[in-house]
Amino acid sequence: MLYRKILTKAFSNLTFSHRSSSCCKLSRSFSDKFTSDNNDLPEDSKAAEVSKLLEDATTFSDANDPNWAKNPYPDTAPVNLQKEPEAPKVLPNDNSIILFPGQGTLKVGRIKAYLRFPRVKEMYAIANEILKYDLKKLSLEGPQKELNKTEFNQAATVVASLAALENLIEDRPNVLDNCRAVAGYSVGEFTALIFSGAIDYESGIRLVQHRALAMANAAERSKQGMMYVYTKAGSNIFQACKDAESWARDLGISEPVCRIAIYLHTQGKVIGGNDEALNFLMENSSKLGLKNVKRIPVSGAFHTPLMEPAIKRFKPTLFNTIIEKPRITVYSNCNAEYYREPETIRRHLIKHLVQPVKWEQIIHKIYGRSPGSTFPRTFDVGSDGTLKNTLKLINSKAWDWCYSV
């Protein structure tokens, strides 16, 4: 606005100066002669006299003089008085991306290295109070079979990931300031939301506990599970799942489910469904174009319609939880888009129970860039390298800049 006022004033000065050199000649000549002699002339003579006066008064002698068009301000004066100082540039590889793992990667004793941090001890004390059992002891001593149970593992994974984050902060103090985005795999999305400030720590642990109990309860309603499959070129995983559902229906399952639960990488998928359907895929893997088929040690078909009973149990706690806008970019497992509003987070955390995890799509969204671009540093926090290995299968150039914490 100030710059605009200065330009307006300058333009006015230029206009007035130009008028004084030619237009004022016309005014003075016309006024002097026309007022003294005009009254005694006939109309035709008056018109001729006026034309002569105009011709005599008009001059273009200063048209070639460039001085009038010069800027009225010194050459050293600033062009834009409101120009903001340039922010220091941050190189792409100085930025950071943080990835948090989901259920199934935590090993007994893993957290021992983090207990030297006072904040970690405080986190476990708060978690123990909320959960009503000793999460720290279970994570330290096991047994692993107990720690692997859904009702325990989800909360244990979230807290262990946040504990590992303390270790990262000690090694790289600037990592939080330079963090540009965060994503969490499955239950790791809750870790990401806590980290971003969208959900406070206590509310996050409470949500994860209710979610885990609801999912464990839904898993008990039928024999179900998950398996990893690697799809060969030309294989049709969607048709294979339909064939598996038909097989399970023939065996007496009224509403069988066999669906992609996790889009892991281009050829790797995690399938969730009834045991009968999963067994069909296992036994017919060669004919269906599948290889490296193996069951995952979880009790339920998470992120499939078999988790619908969990919605009713989880929803009241979720809708009574305060959720705020994330202070950093957080990507949704449901559609691989980043969250913009708290209500979207609430809706997606419900859908997350029964819809597939689009991890491959999230990675493409985060690391999509033109050829030759530099990649940010990525930190795989708490998965023992599992997420880093998956990143390599999706984007090997981003993997070059990935570190496991």
Side-chain angles (χ1 to χ4, degrees):
M1 184 63 72
L2 178 60
Y3 183 46
R4 186 179 295 172
K5 287 181 179 178
I6 290 173
L7 286 181
T8 303
K9 184 178 179 181
F11 183 77
S12 299
N13 290 339
L14 290 173
T15 305
F16 179 76
S17 175
H18 185 58
R19 283 176 179 169
S20 64
S21 64
S22 56
C23 297
C24 288
K25 291 181 183 178
L26 173 61
S27 298
R28 286 195 298 272
S29 300
F30 187 78
S31 177
D32 293 345
K33 290 192 173 287
F34 192 73
T35 53
S36 60
D37 303 331
N38 234 12
N39 292 333
D40 300 328
L41 295 173
E43 291 300 322
D44 291 343
S45 298
K46 290 180 182 179
E49 182 68 18
V50 169
S51 296
K52 188 175 186 306
L53 285 171
L54 287 170
E55 290 175 5
D56 292 342
T58 303
T59 176
F60 297 97
S61 61
D62 59 352
N64 294 323
D65 181 6
N67 291 322
W68 68 271
K70 286 185 177 179
N71 192 322
Y73 301 100
D75 293 338
T76 57
V79 177
N80 188 344
L81 297 182
Q82 287 186 318
K83 187 176 181 180
E84 296 290 335
E86 290 186 6
K89 292 182 178 179
V90 178
L91 297 175
N93 57 4
D94 286 336
N95 292 328
S96 60
I97 307 294
I98 296 178
L99 306 178
F100 292 114
Q103 181 178 343
T105 61
L106 184 61
K107 304 301 181 187
V108 169
R110 168 74 172 164
I111 68 164
K112 187 176 181 179
Y114 311 135
L115 293 177
R116 58 192 173 90
F117 299 108
R119 280 169 54 90
V120 172
K121 292 179 181 178
E122 184 180 358
M123 283 192 290
Y124 276 101
I126 293 171
N128 290 349
E129 186 176 344
I130 293 170
L131 299 170
K132 307 302 181 188
Y133 62 85
D134 196 333
L135 180 66
K136 184 176 76 171
K137 183 178 180 180
L138 178 60
S139 299
L140 278 172
E141 302 175 10
Q144 187 70 49
K145 186 177 180 180
E146 192 74 5
L147 182 60
N148 286 346
K149 290 182 178 178
T150 299
E151 56 265 40
F152 302 129
N153 196 273
Q154 291 193 13
T157 298
V158 170
V159 180
S161 299
L162 294 172
L165 189 63
E166 293 295 313
N167 192 59
L168 174 61
I169 294 170
E170 181 187 60
D171 291 342
R172 300 173 183 265
N174 296 328
V175 70
L176 298 188
D177 294 335
N178 297 334
C179 184
R180 294 294 175 262
V182 59
Y185 178 95
S186 191
V187 74
E189 186 167 313
F190 286 83
T191 317
L193 289 169
I194 293 170
F195 170 75
S196 74
I199 302 174
D200 65 71
Y201 177 73
E202 293 87 345
S203 297
I205 298 302
R206 192 171 290 108
L207 274 177
V208 171
Q209 180 189 33
H210 282 79
R211 176 184 186 268
L213 290 171
M215 294 171 78
N217 179 264
E220 291 174 355
R221 302 192 176 207
S222 63
K223 292 180 179 181
Q224 55 186 268
M226 305 179 82
M227 68 163 44
Y228 171 82
V229 300
Y230 185 93
T231 56
K232 297 178 183 178
S235 63
N236 188 334
I237 188 63
F238 297 101
Q239 186 58 51
C241 286
K242 287 183 179 179
D243 293 343
E245 287 180 343
S246 296
W247 176 262
R249 191 176 292 108
D250 291 342
L251 293 178
I253 307 299
S254 58
E255 295 182 10
V257 169
C258 186
R259 308 281 176 86
I260 296 175
I262 301 171
Y263 290 88
L264 198 55
H265 55 86
T266 305
Q267 290 177 285
K269 307 288 186 290
V270 174
I271 309 298
N274 299 95
D275 274 359
E276 292 81 358
L278 298 182
N279 290 337
F280 174 85
L281 294 181
M282 182 83 72
E283 294 167 4
N284 297 277
S285 58
S286 297
K287 289 190 297 183
L288 297 170
L290 309 175
K291 65 177 185 177
N292 297 338
V293 179
K294 56 184 177 181
R295 290 290 291 261
I296 298 173
V298 294
S299 59
F302 307 140
H303 311 296
T304 75
L306 289 176
M307 287 292 109
E308 285 183 3
I311 293 176
K312 186 176 181 180
R313 186 166 180 173
F314 177 58
K315 202 171 184 178
T317 306
L318 178 61
F319 277 77
N320 285 323
T321 299
I322 295 173
I323 300 178
E324 298 180 352
K325 188 173 182 178
R327 293 193 288 269
I328 193 170
T329 300
V330 180
Y331 285 88
S332 166
N333 279 215
C334 289
N335 63 358
E337 298 291 337
Y338 67 87
Y339 285 120
R340 292 177 174 84
E341 299 297 334
E343 285 310 307
T344 306
I345 297 174
R346 208 182 300 276
R347 290 196 304 271
H348 281 205
L349 291 181
I350 287 291
K351 293 178 180 179
H352 195 197
L353 294 170
V354 296
Q355 290 188 2
V357 172
K358 295 186 176 179
W359 188 251
E360 179 190 357
Q361 292 86 336
I362 288 174
I363 296 301
H364 283 309
K365 187 78 68 171
I366 293 176
Y367 298 102
R369 55 206 359 95
S370 58
S373 299
T374 305
F375 284 81
R377 298 181 191 275
T378 298
F379 297 98
D380 168 7
V381 179
S383 83
D384 274 340
T386 301
L387 293 181
K388 180 180 178 180
N389 292 337
T390 302
L391 178 60
K392 186 177 184 179
L393 296 170
I394 303 172
N395 190 318
S396 60
K397 291 184 178 179
W399 174 82
D400 287 336
W401 293 89
C402 185
Y403 306 88
S404 180
V405 180

